[in-house]
């Protein structure tokens, strides 16, 4: 696999991502025990984590419509929600969850920190939905000199993407907010406020925050990150499982993946209905549904797919190394797509690859 030549991301990612998000880890968790129901692969319950985010719609739709429950049968689905990658990874490491939806860099971080022993990526979930949104007077990359641009966190997926893009354009940055462009890591909810007040000039952010900056604060899109990747595809969310759990309960993992595949199929078959389902779930979880215009914009900007788009994960790791944020680590073996491909083959669909 091409990960041999890339060698991924190292403990520096843990130092950057975990440290900078340590204060943002307060997800609302409901944990349980994956107790055996009596031998074999039978379980009383399986614990699934996800974020109350639009980019985690596969989880939201699968839970709301009972698709995971349908395929799990007698095994109960126990869910936990998280607001940040480090909290979800800590739950994986502690055994509090068996699987979770998560972004690419936290998955790489978990792989690096555990020396390839903790997790496997078993399916893709979502692609796209990330933009550089700026003030209307900014018309090109040269206009960014001396400007303040926000990212969600130092060393996270969007932060790496912005720094690498600027480097490719000949503009320098540093981790202290200096350089030709001043990068300001901050929570996405804070970015909505600082952009509106003029304290920042733009932000490289995922949905729904990108659409909200455009629709609520009259920002404009300078870069659609899809344009920077082959075939306009890059991973924003995928599904990981604990290796120990997968080894002990392969059939349960396959059942979970069957619900995952059906959820993505439902989203793509009827996006309007899926959007309503997701917004209803978000309202239950946070008390704040998205405005209809934001919801419509977001669902047009994200592709929901079972393909983990492995090449983009490897590419992101390579970009992080090139901008000097990360040290190398071997990513070979981070994927186990065999159970997913068995399901896709049975449906007559194209297999996905790990490179």
């Amino acid at each position: 696999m091409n990960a041999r030549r890339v060698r991924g991301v190292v403990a520096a990612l843990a130092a950057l991502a975990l440290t900078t998000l340590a204060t943002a880890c307060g997800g609302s968790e409901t944990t349980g025990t994956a107790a055996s129901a009596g031998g074999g692969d039978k379980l009383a319950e399986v614990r699934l984590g996800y974020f109350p985010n639009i980019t985690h719609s596969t989880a939201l739709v699968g839970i709301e419509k009972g698709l995971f429950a349908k395929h799990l049968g007698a095994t109960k689905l126990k869910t936990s929600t998280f607001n940040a990658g480090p909290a979800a990874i800590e739950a994986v490491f502690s055994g509090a969850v068996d699987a979770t939806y998560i972004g690419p860099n936290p998955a790489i971080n978990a792989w690096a920190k555990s020396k390839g022993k903790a997790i496997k990526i078993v399916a893709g979930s979502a692609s796209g939905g990330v933009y550089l949104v700026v003030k209307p007077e900014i018309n090109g990359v040269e206009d960014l000199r001396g400007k303040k641009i926000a990212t969600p966190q130092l060393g996270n997926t969007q932060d790496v993407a912005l720094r690498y893009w600027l480097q490719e354009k000949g503009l320098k940055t540093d981790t202290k907010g200096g350089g030709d462009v001043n990068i300001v890591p901050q929570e996405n909810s804070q970015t909505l406020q600082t952009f509106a007040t003029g304290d920042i000039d733009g932000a490289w952010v995922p949905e729904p925050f990108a659409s909200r900056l455009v629709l609520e604060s009259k920002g404009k899109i300078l870069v659609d990150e899809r344009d920077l990747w082959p075939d306009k595809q890059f991973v924003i969310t995928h599904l990981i499982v604990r290796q120990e759990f997968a080894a002990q309960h392969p059939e349960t993992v396959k059942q979970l993946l069957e619900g995952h595949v059906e959820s993505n199929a439902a989203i793509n078959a009827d996006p309007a209905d899926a959007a309503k389902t997701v917004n209803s779930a978000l309202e239950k979880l946070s008390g704040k549904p998205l405005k209809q215009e934001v919801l419509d914009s977001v669902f047009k900007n994200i592709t929901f797919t079972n393909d983990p788009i492995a090449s983009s994960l490897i590419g992101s790791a390579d970009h992080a190394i090139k901008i000097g944020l990360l040290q190398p680590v071997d990513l070979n073996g981070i994927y186990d797509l065999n159970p997913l491909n068995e399901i896709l083959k049975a449906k007559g669909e194209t297999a996905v690859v790990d490179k």
Side-chain angles (χ1 to χ4, degrees), residues 181-204:
V181 179
N182 308 129
I183 297 180
V184 185
Q186 57 186 224
E187 293 186 9
N188 291 326
S189 57
Q190 183 182 355
T191 292
L192 295 175
Q193 300 172 0
T194 54
F195 187 78
T197 58
D199 292 322
I200 60 172
D201 303 289
W204 195 294

Side-chain angles (χ1 to χ4, degrees), residues 23-355:
T23 58
C25 293
S28 60
E29 296 184 34
T30 306
T31 59
T33 302
S36 171
D41 197 36
K42 295 180 181 179
L43 288 175
E45 64 182 27
V46 58
R47 289 87 46 85
L48 177 67
Y50 66 101
F51 294 14
N53 291 350
I54 204 85
T55 53
H56 288 233
S57 290
T58 308
L60 294 165
V61 170
I63 293 166
E64 285 292 299
K65 289 186 173 292
L67 304 179
F68 293 119
K70 180 178 79 172
H71 289 283
L72 287 169
T75 300
K76 180 182 177 182
L77 179 68
K78 189 85 170 182
T79 61
S80 302
T81 59
F82 302 97
N83 289 327
I89 292 302
E90 181 57 35
V92 171
F93 282 173
S94 69
V97 297
D98 305 306
T100 189
Y101 287 87
I102 202 163
N105 274 10
I108 295 172
N109 178 37
W111 178 264
K113 188 176 181 181
S114 69
K115 302 186 186 304
K117 298 182 183 300
I119 63 101
K120 290 281 189 178
I121 300 170
V122 295
S125 178
S127 169
V130 180
Y131 300 87
L132 173 56
V133 181
V134 297
K135 293 295 186 180
E137 61 270 19
I138 296 176
N139 297 308
V141 65
E142 282 300 318
D143 293 337
L144 295 175
R145 287 185 182 273
K147 298 296 193 293
K148 293 182 179 179
I149 306 298
T151 62
Q153 66 175 102
L154 177 62
N156 96 312
T157 306
Q158 288 80 51
D159 187 74
V160 168
L162 172 60
R163 292 175 191 275
Y164 179 74
W165 180 76
L166 290 171
Q167 178 177 281
E168 289 292 288
K169 299 296 183 181
L171 297 178
K172 296 180 180 179
T173 65
D174 65 38
T175 57
K176 297 180 180 179
D180 298 320
V181 179
N182 308 129
I183 297 180
V184 185
Q186 57 186 224
E187 293 186 9
N188 291 326
S189 57
Q190 183 182 355
T191 292
L192 295 175
Q193 300 172 0
T194 54
F195 187 78
T197 58
D199 292 322
I200 60 172
D201 303 289
W204 195 294
V205 287
E207 292 287 20
F209 303 98
S211 287
R212 290 189 63 183
L213 291 176
V214 172
L215 295 170
E216 297 173 8
S217 297
K218 299 181 180 178
K220 76 175 183 182
I221 293 172
L222 187 64
V223 177
D224 179 342
E225 193 175 335
R226 289 176 293 191
D227 295 334
L228 307 181
W229 293 96
D231 302 320
K232 296 182 179 291
Q233 293 286 311
F234 66 98
V235 63
I236 187 68
T237 309
H238 46 208
L239 177 62
I240 67 172
V241 298
R242 286 194 299 114
Q243 285 191 30
E244 182 182 14
F245 179 82
Q248 293 175 351
H249 307 290
E251 274 305 310
T252 302
V253 171
K254 190 171 182 180
Q255 290 168 345
L256 195 65
L257 283 168
E258 286 170 339
H260 169 97
V261 170
E262 187 170 348
S263 180
N264 272 342
I267 293 171
N268 290 317
D270 192 344
D273 179 69
K276 292 179 182 178
T277 300
V278 167
N279 216 20
S280 175
L282 292 176
E283 184 173 15
K284 291 177 184 176
L285 291 167
S286 68
K288 297 179 180 180
L290 294 173
K291 295 179 181 177
Q292 189 61 47
E293 61 175 351
V294 173
L295 192 66
D296 292 342
S297 174
V298 167
F299 263 79
K300 292 176 183 176
N301 296 334
I302 300 174
T303 300
F304 295 97
T305 176
N306 300 312
D307 189 344
I309 318 173
S311 61
S312 73
L313 182 79
I314 296 165
S316 292
D318 188 40
H319 296 168
I321 293 168
K322 286 180 177 178
I323 61 177
L325 284 182
L326 307 166
Q327 299 288 326
V329 66
D330 191 354
L331 290 180
N332 186 52
I334 195 172
Y335 291 99
D336 181 6
L337 303 176
N338 290 329
L340 173 64
N341 280 329
E342 289 176 6
I343 296 168
L344 297 178
K345 182 179 179 180
K347 293 179 175 292
E349 299 181 19
T350 303
V352 298
V353 297
D354 60 357
K355 58 184 177 181

